[in-house]
Amino acid sequence: MRAATLTDHLSGWPDHRLERLFSLRPDLCHPPVPDFAALAARASTQMSVLRALDGLDRAHLDVLEGLAVLAILDQLPPTRPDAGPSVTLSRLASFLTDGTAPSLPGTAPDEAHLAAIKALVLDLVEAALVVEHDAGWRVPVPVAAALGPHPLSFGRTAAALGSEIVLPADREGVLTLLAREAVRGELLARTTAALEALQSSPVARVPEPPGPVHEVLLRTGLLVPLGADRSGSEGSVAEHPLEAGLAWRRGTAGRTVHPEPPAPSGRAVNPALSRNAALAAIGDLLRGAADLLEALAGGLPTLRSGGVGVRDLKRLAGTAGGTPEDVSWLLELLASAGLVVLDPDTSTWVPAATVPAWRRSERQVQWEALVAGWLSSGRAPMLGPVPPGTSGLGPGGPSSGRALAPDRNRPDAPRLRAAVLEAALEVSDEQPGTRLDEAVPDRQRWRGPRQQARSSAFTLPLLAEADRLGLVGAGALTAAGALVAAGRLDEAAAAVGAALPAALTRVRLQGDLTAVAPGYLDPDVAGRLAAMAEVEGDGAARVYRFSDASVHRALESGSNAEELEAFLEDHSEDAIPQSLRYLIRDVARRHGTLTLGDAGAWLRSDDEDLLDVIVADPALATAQLERLAPTVVVAGVGPAVLHRMLAEAGHRSASARRGPTRGPAAEGGRRTHAGDGVFPEPVRAVRWSPSEEELAAQIARLRSAPQPAPSGAGTEEAVAVLHQAARQRTEVDLVTVDQRGQRQSRRVVPLAVAGGRVRCLVPDREAETVVPLHRIVSATTV
């Protein structure tokens, strides 16, 4: 359909239909369009059509592709410039079956099936993807071009493939053709199996030399060679013609349209099991996040190419307690939640300034912050390697899989998570407790079949991440997960807070110098206990082991033996074991026999009289000089300050030579800033929808605009016509302008459209020519 015709079509719609169109395809009014001609032009652009097709479910897409296939089969000549083949509802309903029980000629389809197909077609009409024409419907050229060369997995016509072999019209004729070629026994079974496979993928790779099955298919015209394979492998590519596919499917589409998605199958998960698994996962998550933030106090360096090195990750995993895979995922989650940030001065990942407040918060608040960071993160997936075949944005490549590396950046990551949770909520509402590992991929394949090829690799990794967050438990969606999927995160956090057991304030002290916390321990109590004992284990029940070194550490922090015993008495279920009391008192008795102080600089001189003068000099009193030996003096200030003070007092000193620095500063040359240091912001997860005021303003603007004069097809439609003609190898009347602006008309067969040019065959001259797209005025199918 030409732009002018679509303009007339849309201008005749009432206001409520235009509102429905803008609701289904909001990009058509964002930004607002000035008139119906601009609206028709925008609705015909490839980007807008592709965006609309991506939003179709399996049923609507099958109906649309069925209309496109029937339009190719009709081969009706146009009666006027804007006319084309139309399809009746009855014919479409008869065509969209699986072919197992074909209807007799003239038999009307089932009324329920007919009503379902009609409802789906009307939905497509409301989205301007199908237009009403005479007594039927047809697909506009830009929409047919956007569907691709193989609607309903049918190949192109034999004529478009360059084949002159006359193919049978039914399945029995195909089998008879194979019998005439002496195809019997095992070869016949293998050939029919190959034909079945071609119904889902009409393009096949033919080895060199071809095998027996390929030889039969090529010889009979059931496969048509297309040329060498550009992938570099030996062999060629061949295509199954549309006529052959139609005959094999008994004149039908080979599939029945189901307006409703398939019901989830499998046994349901016990709600109590799912709930307990989710609560355990939340406990492990919060405990692991706190331990990792503690282990990150010294910073985590980055590599030159971005991300964290394997050695640093293993070292961090050993400190925090956990596997490198778990620590890698927690790092990604904490960075997305803003609890771990990149210090641009040192190029290291460090805990954020908000970490102390996060630690002091209640557990449901901590959990809410982590889930909010996961939902809004532009990183996917956080768990496991980056799926092969996806577009990695960083220099590490799409398969490096390093923690915090740029290759996990994916601007549509929030939308992918929202889609997974929405599908999980749908199947769980239909069948509570259903397992999501199979139900969610199946539902997403039905909801968005065109998007599934780009996003299917992320579904299971994102479900695994949701399991670690407690949104999924034992494979089923939890109550908190359902609230998060519905956009009610605050209510989910409240539900998690009510479900989690109260924090413990008491531990079990045992005679083997250990303390056992059988559950979640209050953060303040856990912090004090960790200051005087070593933490062991990472399960629900934590073990704290007291030792000579751990008690020394507690005393060095400013506590004394009486305070340690008082704390243990207040937070112990039983009396303090005698062995632990003896340990604390024995360490306290020995603590302080060796005192450590600060010494900022030192002086050494063989002239003892000179050192006597320096120590007694009142001008150097603030240097806190102290004689350690007849020839050695230490100071309480640094070397630079002491050097300046000595010079002001009239004493000249020489700095001692030092060897090369081996600290972090010396190794800094091997570490560089990781890219920009900040991951790109993700795109908005929720699609923009126009408000009632915006819809009213847009429609009023369209109604007040003057009606444009009829014009020819626009550039977008001309390119769509050329693409479709190149696939079908059909002739078009091409109108172009030369450098002087003069129009030229010629009849050509488009061969390829790419790189801003179209390569055409001119039948009259039997020669090829190349035409720039910017010189094309219109293209009309002959």
Side-chain angles (χ1 to χ4, degrees):
M1 173 176 284
R2 294 190 328 198
T5 306
L6 186 58
T7 301
D8 297 338
H9 186 74
L10 294 177
S11 62
W13 281 14
D15 290 355
H16 71 274
R17 291 193 64 181
L18 291 175
E19 291 179 0
R20 175 64 174 165
L21 173 64
F22 293 138
S23 299
L24 295 173
R25 300 175 63 178
D27 60 296
L28 297 184
C29 63
H30 185 68
V33 289
D35 51 36
F36 281 103
L39 175 61
R42 186 179 295 180
S44 300
T45 59
Q46 183 183 32
M47 186 59 67
S48 178
V49 173
L50 289 176
R51 188 180 291 116
L53 294 180
D54 285 345
L56 297 181
D57 57 37
R58 180 78 269 170
H60 287 89
L61 188 61
D62 283 349
V63 169
L64 184 60
E65 292 186 352
L67 285 169
V69 172
L70 290 177
I72 297 173
L73 294 177
D74 282 343
Q75 299 292 323
L76 295 177
T79 57
R80 57 182 185 274
D82 65 335
S86 62
V87 180
T88 63
L89 179 64
S90 177
R91 181 161 182 240
L92 178 63
S94 299
F95 179 68
L96 291 173
T97 59
D98 58 11
T100 55
S103 302
L104 296 175
T107 303
D110 178 74
E111 290 296 331
H113 181 59
L114 192 67
I117 297 298
K118 182 177 181 179
L120 294 171
V121 172
L122 292 179
D123 290 341
L124 296 172
V125 171
E126 294 294 318
L129 296 174
V130 171
V131 294
E132 301 175 58
H133 180 69
D134 296 336
W137 291 276
R138 63 188 182 91
V139 181
V141 173
V143 178
L147 286 174
H150 304 127
L152 291 180
S153 299
F154 281 108
R156 291 171 290 176
T157 62
L161 297 175
S163 174
E164 298 180 355
I165 300 177
V166 179
L167 296 171
D170 52 21
R171 189 183 185 115
E172 289 70 20
V174 173
L175 295 175
T176 302
L177 175 63
L178 295 177
R180 284 204 306 266
E181 295 292 329
V183 180
R184 297 181 180 86
E186 182 185 357
L187 181 57
L188 177 60
R190 292 169 56 192
T191 304
T192 55
L195 287 174
E196 288 290 348
L198 289 171
Q199 307 315 306
S200 58
S201 180
V203 178
R205 178 173 296 149
V206 180
E208 185 60 40
V213 174
H214 291 97
E215 283 187 351
V216 171
L217 296 177
L218 291 171
R219 190 167 61 247
T220 55
L222 298 175
L223 269 182
V224 179
L226 300 179
D229 186 5
R230 296 182 181 179
S231 64
S233 60
E234 295 184 357
S236 60
V237 175
E239 188 168 333
H240 188 50
L242 184 147
E243 295 89 342
L246 193 67
W248 190 254
R249 303 184 201 183
R250 296 187 173 91
T252 68
R255 63 181 70 169
T256 300
V257 175
H258 299 284
E260 298 298 329
S265 58
R267 293 177 53 186
V269 178
N270 187 293
L273 176 62
S274 177
R275 175 179 176 275
N276 293 339
L279 293 178
I282 293 174
D284 293 341
L285 171 71
L286 299 180
R287 186 165 44 249
D291 292 344
L292 184 56
L293 290 172
E294 185 72 24
L296 279 173
L300 186 64
T302 59
L303 299 174
R304 178 178 292 118
S305 59
V308 179
V310 176
R311 293 181 181 178
D312 294 323
L313 192 63
K314 289 183 177 180
R315 183 165 55 250
L316 181 64
T319 304
T323 64
E325 292 76 14
D326 294 340
V327 170
S328 173
W329 181 76
L330 275 176
L331 272 175
E332 293 278 354
L333 181 64
L334 293 174
S336 298
L339 297 175
V340 172
V341 296
L342 184 65
D343 185 352
D345 297 327
T346 60
S347 189
T348 56
W349 294 91
V350 295
T354 56
V355 168
W358 181 83
R359 286 183 180 275
R360 292 190 298 268
S361 302
E362 296 181 340
R363 284 176 292 172
Q364 64 267 27
V365 177
Q366 296 179 348
W367 178 82
E368 183 178 3
L370 296 179
V371 174
W374 181 74
L375 291 173
S376 60
S377 173
R379 314 264 295 155
M382 296 180 184
L383 179 64
V386 178
T390 59
S391 57
L393 304 182
S399 60
S400 65
R402 291 194 302 268
L404 301 176
D407 59 357
R408 293 180 186 269
N409 294 343
R410 189 176 176 92
D412 62 342
R415 184 184 60 80
L416 292 176
R417 293 189 179 92
V420 169
L421 292 179
E422 288 172 4
L425 183 60
E426 275 190 17
V427 298
S428 298
D429 287 343
E430 296 172 10
Q431 180 178 317
T434 184
R435 289 192 61 87
L436 304 179
D437 49 358
E438 293 184 4
V440 169
D442 290 345
R443 181 56 53 92
Q444 287 192 306
R445 275 191 291 271
W446 189 89
R447 291 181 60 185
R450 289 178 65 93
Q451 299 182 34
Q452 185 67 5
R454 302 190 298 269
S455 61
S456 60
F458 295 90
T459 300
L460 293 182
L462 291 179
L463 281 175
E465 293 177 11
D467 185 88
R468 292 184 173 225
L469 290 166
L471 306 177
V472 175
L477 191 69
T478 62
L483 291 171
V484 171
R488 297 151 59 185
L489 179 57
D490 52 346
E491 297 180 33
V496 168
L500 288 172
L504 300 176
T505 58
R506 291 179 174 274
V507 296
R508 285 287 205 188
L509 296 177
Q510 302 184 112
D512 60 348
L513 300 180
T514 59
V516 179
Y520 176 75
L521 196 59
D522 182 87
D524 293 335
V525 178
R528 289 287 306 275
L529 200 58
M532 66 178 72
E534 303 294 343
V535 181
E536 296 181 351
D538 56 358
R542 287 222 160 172
V543 177
Y544 297 82
R545 183 170 297 279
F546 298 90
S547 64
D548 189 286
S550 66
V551 176
H552 266 297
R553 185 176 65 241
L555 296 175
E556 289 171 0
S557 65
S559 301
N560 54 43
E562 291 75 15
E563 292 174 346
L564 297 182
E565 292 186 15
F567 171 79
L568 293 176
E569 288 175 351
D570 292 341
H571 298 89
S572 173
E573 295 286 354
D574 307 305
I576 301 178
Q578 190 177 43
S579 56
L580 179 56
R581 196 182 296 273
Y582 283 172
L583 174 65
I584 295 175
R585 294 178 179 179
D586 179 62
V587 172
R589 178 178 53 81
R590 292 183 283 110
H591 185 72
T593 56
L594 183 63
T595 305
L596 175 69
D598 294 331
W602 52 267
L603 288 173
R604 184 180 61 81
S605 176
D606 294 334
D607 189 345
E608 298 180 15
D609 295 335
L610 176 60
L611 291 181
D612 291 338
V613 172
I614 291 174
V615 171
D617 193 338
L620 300 173
T622 56
Q624 304 175 12
L625 299 177
E626 186 175 348
R627 197 74 166 263
L628 293 184
T631 58
V632 179
V633 173
V634 295
V637 295
V641 176
L642 182 59
H643 182 80
R644 177 179 54 79
M645 295 178 67
L646 288 172
E648 292 174 352
H651 305 287
R652 298 295 178 183
S653 61
S655 299
R657 294 185 178 273
R658 312 187 75 173
T661 303
R662 298 303 300 169
E667 298 180 358
R670 293 181 293 165
R671 303 287 187 183
T672 59
H673 197 276
D676 297 330
V678 178
F679 297 128
E681 290 294 325
V683 295
R684 183 167 44 194
V686 180
R687 189 180 70 163
W688 176 82
S689 298
S691 63
E692 294 183 4
E693 294 78 9
E694 290 170 326
L695 287 174
Q698 175 64 87
I699 294 176
R701 187 173 185 179
L702 291 173
R703 296 301 186 198
S704 62
Q707 290 292 333
S711 60
T715 304
E716 289 286 346
E717 185 178 356
V719 173
V721 169
L722 292 173
H723 275 289
Q724 189 178 40
R727 286 195 296 268
Q728 301 296 336
R729 291 294 188 269
T730 56
E731 293 184 344
V732 299
D733 286 332
L734 194 65
V735 179
T736 60
V737 292
D738 58 16
Q739 295 179 350
R740 293 174 294 180
Q742 296 180 349
R743 291 198 174 203
Q744 298 177 347
S745 179
R746 70 186 88 173
R747 181 162 293 185
V748 299
V749 178
L751 301 177
V753 183
R757 299 179 299 174
V758 54
R759 184 166 60 89
C760 308
L761 173 65
V762 184
D764 295 342
R765 296 184 297 169
E766 296 185 355
E768 291 187 7
T769 184
V770 177
V771 181
L773 290 179
H774 68 273
R775 295 197 179 278
I776 296 177
V777 176
S778 65
T780 306
T781 304
V782 177

